[in-house]
Amino acid sequence: MKVLVTGFEPFGGEEINPSWRAVETLPDELNGATILRVQLPVSFERVRKILPRLIAGERPDIVLLTGQAGGRPNITVERVAINVMDSTMPDNDGLKPEDEPVFEGAPDAYFATIPVKGVVRALRNAGIPAGISNTAGTYVCNTAMFTALHTIAVSGMEAKAGFIHVPFSHEQALDKPRPSMAQRTINEAIRLAVETVVGAR
Ligand code: PCA
């Protein structure tokens, strides 16, 4: 079994992105599954090109995307991705799309195909605050989740895909009164999420 796990590069003036920090600590193999770690750019245009190529080329059984949701206090497993790109904050290419579809003519939304509640349960059982989120926003993370689910749907692949948002790490929140989580806990959460999704397949 092959698992593609992605994290994002820093954005919005941050020096790190705790999602990539967590993904880069994953081993090459976990519970018998091969782990492919990839860092994605915070770019509406480039994620829509890179992800379909990566998924078609690697043909993973599971695609687990992760990103930072600064301001959220817990790990959130996303339930749905919508066909919208809308942002007042520029991406790392300086683009600020308004009410644009991720893919013209694609469905309005896709539900995550990983066991969303199973991952939340596994994290809580391990003592990590976690919950379901019913919106991945309309920034690059939602675009990445939508792109992965759409790519899999139109190619007829059987791969499961989903998205996990992580809070700021303590390191990022030292100078701002925002909720944060220890990076080692975020790392553990992502590893547990991978194990849970692998175990469910
Ligand atoms: N979080 C952003 C994009 C990259 C990331 O890590 C988001 O939630 O859309």
Side-chain angles (χ1 to χ4, degrees):
M1 190 180 308
K2 193 194 271 187
V3 189
L4 169 63
V5 193
T6 71
F8 276 100
E9 67 183 3
F11 69 104
E14 295 296 323
E15 273 166 26
I16 67 141
N17 190 318
S19 68
W20 173 246
R21 282 280 169 95
V23 171
E24 69 177 350
T25 66
L26 290 171
D28 296 335
E29 216 189 282
L30 206 49
N31 292 2
T34 306
I35 310 295
L36 184 65
R37 301 164 298 257
V38 174
Q39 189 188 59
L40 293 177
V42 180
S43 158
F44 285 105
E45 276 196 14
R46 287 182 285 150
V47 293
R48 284 183 294 157
K49 293 201 178 106
I50 293 169
L51 268 177
R53 266 191 227 134
L54 199 56
I55 292 170
E58 296 289 344
R59 302 197 67 81
D61 302 283
I62 295 164
V63 181
L64 191 67
L65 312 166
T66 72
Q68 162 198 311
R72 287 193 189 168
N74 56 353
I75 304 279
T76 44
V77 185
E78 299 295 344
R79 194 200 298 268
V80 61
I82 60 176
N83 193 13
V84 175
M85 302 189 292
D86 188 74
S87 175
T88 50
M89 179 167 82
D91 69 6
N92 285 355
D93 294 335
L95 288 184
K96 291 185 291 184
E98 200 185 333
D99 296 333
E100 285 177 35
V102 178
F103 291 107
E104 201 87 51
D108 291 340
Y110 285 102
F111 287 116
T113 48
I114 59 167
V116 169
K117 289 188 176 164
V119 172
V120 169
R121 248 190 323 267
L123 298 185
R124 288 179 180 171
N125 286 343
I128 302 173
I132 293 178
S133 160
N134 292 311
T135 174
T138 54
Y139 194 54
V140 179
C141 288
N142 171 74
T143 290
M145 183 179 175
F146 189 91
T147 299
L149 287 162
H150 183 61
T151 301
I152 292 165
V154 299
S155 68
M157 290 171 66
E158 306 239 307
K160 305 286 184 200
F163 197 103
I164 297 181
H165 263 124
V166 306
F168 282 134
S169 65
H170 290 331
E171 180 188 335
Q172 292 175 285
L174 288 176
D175 58 354
K176 43 184 177 282
R178 307 291 297 278
S180 60
M181 193 176 262
Q183 182 68 57
R184 65 174 181 282
T185 308
I186 297 173
N187 298 354
E188 194 193 336
I190 298 308
R191 187 178 47 78
L192 262 171
V194 173
E195 286 174 348
T196 304
V197 180
V198 167
R201 281 234 63 181

